[in-house]
């Protein structure tokens, strides 16, 4: 439902790369917190919990201690339609980062409990938090964890968790949190590309609810960044350092900052771009010193012929920093002062397998259900997911449902090409509408009305042209039609109704105007001859 407000999903994991270009747009933002000012602005006992919190160090630094949390978050909610990396199972969900690991591997049980307590507090303070994802498993029962999940239940928050990666039955070898099996939990096995059970996936016909894709899942990871530098009128090749940060394009004055020692940075570099020479100190220290000086980006030029890569050694909350050749560095320095622009986009990803990768697919499904069916109770939301799986023989004796997650059926349970939320909105029923029907008699089928985002119960609301006018001087035609804001349309024409339609008139892909009327002028038409036009809506 394009009009549905986004919902929030908490990722209890190793942290997240909050600068990742695919994740940055979908990070949850605590509106009550002023970013990183060292003050608990909203009075919740957590300082700088801007995008979540680190419950191991008790700080607002949610930087991924490994790669696991960033990979999980990308599977769940990586941004779409940006020509980068991947797209999440729900690219409109917002991710709250709940960091519970200090080394990117081990999970702290105490931090897990604290993260759940924080989630309940945020929910009670108005955050539309609908689910948590916990992609980890261990053999030890914890009374505190059990109580924490019960508190989530009382707050209306669903916990999605992986079944485990031992290739065993959870009936025989219990793993937690999956085996707590409380009513607000969904426990997930991993399927492979052939709709079979991934070989490492745990399973149980009584403890594991369903399977979801978990084998060879490509998703975001911290690491490589693509960078470029435009200085004056010239663009230079930049090699991003390993673990370099990303940001929106940074435009500012380029300052010569010597070798990057603390005393080499002029005051003016704050908020601008530091140009640093290779040598004397390691790259990581150069980056730390540039950040301390307030630089928003840094470029290190080689001190010998050639081009080096460079590394910051470890992941962290780094600024964009990359390297250029000695010749390019000297050319830029000769032109200073100079305005430059640094772009740093992170597109790196990797394939990882496990129930850790399957669980966020289901957490995304919870968020989709919450967006499209906000009136559902938590139990109804879970049932909507579990009742609409694809039955697969491989899971019959290994999961409770015997099926694999199906996001399309979640939204269109009777598979009639009309989403259930849409049928409920216009016909007060979730299923059963005839997609070829025309209840309002406007000549548009229900499917056409859905695709055009017009009303199927209002004959005045349909995709139709309102006028076609011709310029006397040029012979150009202007077509106007009823439109919907945000929808995209194409205009096709033909010289005769029998001759077929020609598509893709120049620049004919236009977006609907807020005033409900959109127009397109065909400048290919000449004063002689006639034309017939057809307006088509782009499918969602």
């Amino acid at each position: 439902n394009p009009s549905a407000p986004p919902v929030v999903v908490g990722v209890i994991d190793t942290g997240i790369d909050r600068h990742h270009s695919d994740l940055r747009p979908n990070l949850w933002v605590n509106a009550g917190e002023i970013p990183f000012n060292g003050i608990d602005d909203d009075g919740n006992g957590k300082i700088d919990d801007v995008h979540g919190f680190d419950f191991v160090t008790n700080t607002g630094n949610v930087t991924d201690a490994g790669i696991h949390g960033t990979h999980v978050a990308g599977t769940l909610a990586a941004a779409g339609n940006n020509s980068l990396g991947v797209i999440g199972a729900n690219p409109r969900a917002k991710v709250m980062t709940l960091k519970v690991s200090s080394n990117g591997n081990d999970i702290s049980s105490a931090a897990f409990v604290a993260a759940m307590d924080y989630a309940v507090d945020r929910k009670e303070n108005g955050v539309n938090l609908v689910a948590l994802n916990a992609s980890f498993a261990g053999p030890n029962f914890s009374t505190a964890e059990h109580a924490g999940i019960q508190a989530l239940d009382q707050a209306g928050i669903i916990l999605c968790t992986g079944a485990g990666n031992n290739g065993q039955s959870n009936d025989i070898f219990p793993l937690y949190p999956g085996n707590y099996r409380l009513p607000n939990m969904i426990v997930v096995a991993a399927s492979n590309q052939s709709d079979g059970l991934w070989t490492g996936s745990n399973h149980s016909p009584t403890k594991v609810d369903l399977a979801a894709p978990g084998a060879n899942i490509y998703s975001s990871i911290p690491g490589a960044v693509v960078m470029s530098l435009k200085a004056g009128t010239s663009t230079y090749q930049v090699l991003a350092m390993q673990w370099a940060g990303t940001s929106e394009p940074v435009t500012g004055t380029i300052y010569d900052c010597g070798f990057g020692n603390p005393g080499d940075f002029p005051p003016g570099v704050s908020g601008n771009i530091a140009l640093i020479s290779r040598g004397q100190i390691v790259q990581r220290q150069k980056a730390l010193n540039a950040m301390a000086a307030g630089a928003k980006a840094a470029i290190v030029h080689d001190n010998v012929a050639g081009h080096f890569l460079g590394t910051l050694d470890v992941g962290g909350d780094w600024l964009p920093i990359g390297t250029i050749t000695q010749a390019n560095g000297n050319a830029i320095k000769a032109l200073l002062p100079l305005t430059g622009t640094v772009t740093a986009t992170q597109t790196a990803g990797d394939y990882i397998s496990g129930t850790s990768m399957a669980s966020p697919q289901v957490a995304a499904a919870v968020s989709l259900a919450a967006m499209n069916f906000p009136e559902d109770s938590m139990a109804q939301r879970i049932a909507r997911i579990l009742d609409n799986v694809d039955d697969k023989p491989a899971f019959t004796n290994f999961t409770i449902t015997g099926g694999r997650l199906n996001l399309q059926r979640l939204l269109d349970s009777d598979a009639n090409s009309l989403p259930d939320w849409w049928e409920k909105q216009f016909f007060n029923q979730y299923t059963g509408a005839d997609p070829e029907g025309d209840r309002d008699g406007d000549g548009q089928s229900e499917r056409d009305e859905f695709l055009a985002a017009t009303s199927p119960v209002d004959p005045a609301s349909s995709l139709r042209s309102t006028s076609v006018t011709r310029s006397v001087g040029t012979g150009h035609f202007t077509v106007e039609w009823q439109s919907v804001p945000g929808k995209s349309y194409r205009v096709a024409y033909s010289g005769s109704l029998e001759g077929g339609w020609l598509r893709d008139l120049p620049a004919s892909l236009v977006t609907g105007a807020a005033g409900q009327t959109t127009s397109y002028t065909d400048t290919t038409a000449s004063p002689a001859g006639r034309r017939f036009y057809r307006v088509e809506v782009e499918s969602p």
Side-chain angles (χ1 to χ4, degrees), residues 167-176 179 202-207:
Q168 299 173 330
S169 169
N170 286 6
D171 291 321
I172 301 173
F173 303 99
L175 290 177
Y176 302 93
N179 272 50
N202 282 29
H203 48 82
S204 164
T206 62
K207 301 293 193 301

Side-chain angles (χ1 to χ4, degrees), residues 346-522:
Q346 190 163 25
T347 59
D350 203 358
Y351 293 93
I352 305 180
S353 298
T355 59
S356 287
M357 287 63 250
S359 182
Q361 314 262 7
V362 177
V366 173
S367 67
L368 280 170
M371 288 171 60
N372 289 282
F373 309 101
E375 70 279 4
D376 278 0
S377 67
M378 186 173 59
Q380 289 172 323
R381 200 160 286 159
I382 292 173
R384 191 179 291 279
I385 293 169
L386 301 184
D387 291 347
N388 287 296
V389 298
D390 272 353
D391 295 328
K392 297 293 178 180
F395 311 120
T396 299
N397 297 316
F398 293 99
T399 65
I400 295 171
T401 62
R404 187 253 302 131
L405 176 70
N406 185 322
L407 295 179
Q408 183 172 354
R409 283 191 58 189
L410 168 68
L411 300 179
D412 181 13
S413 59
D414 60 350
N416 67 346
S417 74
L418 302 176
D420 294 355
W421 61 264
W422 189 84
E423 293 185 63
K424 178 69 173 177
Q425 177 181 343
F426 290 106
F427 306 139
N428 199 32
Q429 60 190 51
Y430 285 118
T431 59
D434 177 6
E436 304 303 329
D438 180 14
R439 298 197 189 191
D440 58 5
D442 60 2
Q444 302 288 320
S445 70
E446 317 300 21
R447 181 186 290 110
D448 289 341
E449 298 262 26
F450 164 65
L451 293 174
T454 54
S455 171
V457 294
D458 179 1
S461 174
S462 63
L463 178 59
R464 58 164 66 100
S465 62
T466 54
S467 71
V468 179
T469 57
R470 190 170 198 174
S471 169
V472 174
T474 64
H476 299 166
F477 288 98
T478 297
V479 184
E480 291 188 346
W481 63 92
Q482 294 177 330
S483 61
V484 175
K487 275 287 182 181
S488 296
Y489 303 85
R490 291 185 187 274
V491 180
Y493 83 95
S494 177
S496 70
L497 293 178
E498 296 81 18
W501 295 97
L502 300 178
R503 291 187 57 110
D504 297 340
L505 278 165
S508 69
L509 183 62
V510 295
T511 301
Q516 302 297 301
T517 298
T518 298
S519 65
Y520 171 77
T521 298
D522 177 11

Side-chain angles (χ1 to χ4, degrees), residues 32-44:
E33 200 72 18
I34 297 173
F36 310 114
N37 64 350
I39 299 172
D40 178 15
D41 300 288
D42 60 0
N44 68 345

Side-chain angles (χ1 to χ4, degrees), residues 3 5-6 37 67 87 95 98 137 140 215 238 312 406 442 505 537-538:
S3 64
N37 64 350
I67 66 172
I87 184 170
V95 173
L98 306 172
N140 299 318
V238 179
L312 300 172
N406 185 322
D442 60 2
L505 278 165
V537 66
E538 290 284 284

Side-chain angles (χ1 to χ4, degrees), residues 117-127 129 151 154-155 157:
D117 290 343
Y118 178 86
V120 171
D121 175 76
R122 295 294 83 196
K123 177 85 170 186
E124 292 176 346
N125 280 274
V127 177
L129 182 64
Q154 293 299 311
I157 300 171

